[in-house]
Amino acid sequence: MREVVLGTAGHVDHGKTSLVRALTGIDTDRLKEEKERGITIELGFAFLDLPCGHRLGIIDVPGHERFVKNMVAGATGIDFVAFVVAADEGVMPQTREHFEICRLLGVERGMIIITKKDMVEPDWLQLVTEETKEFFSGSFLDGSPLLHVSSTTGEGIDQFRNELDRMVAASDFSEPTGPFRLPVDRVFTMKGFGAVVTGTSISGRIKLGEDITLYPDEITARIRGIQVHAQDVEEVEAGKRTAINIQGLDKELISRGNVLATPGSLKPSYIHDADFLYLSSNKKPLKNRTRIRAHLGTAEIMGRILLLDADEIPSGTQANIQILLEEPYPTWPGDHYVIRSYSPVITIGGGKVFNGSPAKRKRFKEENGVIFETYHNGTQEEKILLYIREAGFAGLTFNELSVKSGIFGKPLKKILDKPISAKKILIIDSDSQRMIEAGVYSQLPEKAEQAMAAFHKENPLKPGVAKDELRARIFKHLDQKVFQYLLNDLIRRKVIVPDDAVVRLAGHEISVKADVKTLRDDMERFYLDAGLTAPTIKEIFGRFDKFPQKLVKEIIEMMMRDKSLVKINEDLYYHTRMLENLKEQLLAFIKREGEIDAPRFKAMTGLSRKFSIPLLEYFDKAKITIRVGDKRILRG
């Protein structure tokens, strides 16, 4: 069953860590430097067993402005927030920034905790309370429980625990479907066990002994151990603070910002389509291609913002963007992100990812508006159709579409049922469930007909085009399964006709012009006159050097198709009549003598080795004779 995770947020020294310690008895400051300086630097973790029967995971985040990137990493995956404001200071800069971060990450539930109530007079406490209410007015925390607490005296801690119990009991414990995902927020080594990673599992479930992949490097290893709140478990599901011991994977290969996930469930990309809110607190407009720090999951990655519809946007603006990262990162549609400026480092905006692996888009294109309108307001079916349409002639397999959409198994099949039935989506290959959008596919038959018509025009003496050549003429990188589907479709509709290893348009007939017919007749006479001392290809080209070599080759191919010529090897062709006469002589000789060898064959034909050896090998290949040592006998 899915559990929930609480995260703290608030300005430095407002009592977040003391509050967690008073609530759970656990000191989340584990570093020596944290204890010496009295401030939280790294993420801290605790848990609380509630009366409702659930164990609540708790992430304590640093409040200092220098460690906001650690705070963002910790806020990823939390279900609700305990927003802390100190009674002796009220709303401060990191109160504002932490609040914006929670909002941008999609946190929708929480409570407001005013700490250090024992340090101020009642009138001042009332003043800070009113200021705090006003600050959160109109936000997701407007109307949430607001508690006054002293972590020193313990006043208000029981009420805090009771509110947590109520909120957790009212939570939705249904598990997000799909593969397991865990953004890594900490990695360390345990002697005798190897690398251990921790994080909040945000989807799916995974078991001890199963394979797991480290993204974005896509290294797969085996799970050696799983712990939830320091207790060994056989399986872990979404919503749990989790530690995973990975077998055979060095600590040096793992870092905060990586993602552990079910193998094959993610696709790292440098480009992400996204919705972006440029915060109203920003003082300057945001220019296109501004260098930024993108916080995705627990990762901080340098990159740039590509504004698709403007050269710059003012504060408070919502925009359609592409995030161009300097390192690849794997996302699913719906993942939230935060953008901080490159320098000075402050939170400037964020939003939600729409597409984790799109093509790079051209700015100021009308189609961008249509695409992002589908992202914003389209149904799941419309978004699925968009993903498949944008995959072009390659289409997408069921697994590729799952990774692209972040929807897996039965839920995706249910979405696909209707468009497949309506033939909006065509199943190209039943094994891989490769799909292509009907509108995209409709361009292929026309391209194929045009390509074949062009080939027939360029090669009037050839009966058709080889399949591989046709595939390259239609689209150089056309998927083989898609191409085969296209061929079958065109053959079924009698648009094209298969002819041995080639295909041709149904109406195509070889047209031989008078001068070409004369050349063919002259070449045939030349072969007949040569008898068994047939000309080589080079000699043919020399004899008919007034004509293009391409045309001479095509006539040779035509004569082979109409059985006038037989190919002995790459350089030697014989007229069929000559070979038939020679075959009769050979059969009569072997029936009389019982066998033949190369010297006797040369004597019988009067041919030199240049002709006799290739002819003997031809009769072997034609299964007239079989070689036994240096001699040949009749086959069978």
Side-chain angles (χ1 to χ4, degrees), residues 576-609:
T576 305
R577 201 182 305 166
M578 298 296 103
L579 278 181
E580 285 298 319
N581 292 338
L582 180 59
K583 175 183 168 184
E584 294 302 321
Q585 290 182 56
L586 178 65
L587 289 172
F589 186 97
I590 297 177
K591 285 177 182 177
R592 185 175 65 249
E593 302 292 334
E595 62 185 29
I596 196 168
D597 55 18
R600 282 182 281 181
F601 183 78
K602 288 168 66 178
M604 181 189 80
T605 59
L607 295 172
S608 66
R609 181 179 179 83

Side-chain angles (χ1 to χ4, degrees), residues 533-559:
T533 55
T536 64
I537 286 291
K538 184 177 180 181
E539 289 168 341
I540 285 286
F541 287 156
R543 171 65 179 78
F544 299 98
D545 59 357
K546 293 181 180 179
F547 300 93
Q549 288 188 5
K550 181 175 182 287
L551 178 60
V552 174
K553 284 182 179 178
E554 287 181 354
I555 291 177
I556 290 174
E557 290 173 6
M558 184 170 64
M559 293 172 71

Side-chain angles (χ1 to χ4, degrees), residues 28 79 113 126 162 166 176 206 222 227 245 256 298 312 343 345-346 374 440 446 502 506 583 594 614 623:
T28 56
D79 296 286
I113 311 294
Q126 183 61 34
N162 292 338
R166 182 188 63 78
I206 205 159
R222 186 65 57 88
Q227 285 192 346
N245 178 208
R256 174 181 288 174
T298 54
E312 64 178 32
S343 181
V345 186
I346 57 171
T374 303
V440 170
E446 184 179 354
V502 301
K583 175 183 168 184
K623 298 186 178 179

Side-chain angles (χ1 to χ4, degrees), residues 8-13 16-17 28-29 34 39-44 59-75 94 98 101 256:
T8 65
H11 194 76
V12 63
D13 202 30
K16 297 183 293 298
T17 303
T28 56
D29 281 349
E34 289 177 318
I39 63 169
T40 299
I41 297 171
E42 265 293 354
L43 300 175
I59 301 176
D60 183 33
V61 304
H64 196 284
E65 62 180 341
R66 286 176 54 196
F67 308 118
V68 170
K69 73 173 184 178
N70 295 345
M71 179 270 168
V72 180
Q94 260 52 64
H98 281 208
I101 289 168
R256 174 181 288 174

Side-chain angles (χ1 to χ4, degrees), residues 276-293:
F276 178 66
L277 172 63
Y278 188 49
L279 295 174
S280 55
S281 57
N282 293 300
K283 296 177 181 178
K284 296 180 180 179
L286 180 73
K287 293 182 179 180
N288 179 50
R289 296 192 65 84
T290 295
R291 193 152 191 246
I292 48 87
R293 301 168 186 267

Side-chain angles (χ1 to χ4, degrees), residues 99-106 277 279 336-338 347 349-351:
F99 169 69
E100 294 290 10
I101 289 168
C102 289
R103 189 160 66 98
L104 294 168
L105 289 175
L277 172 63
L279 295 174
H336 289 83
Y337 69 94
V338 171
T347 302

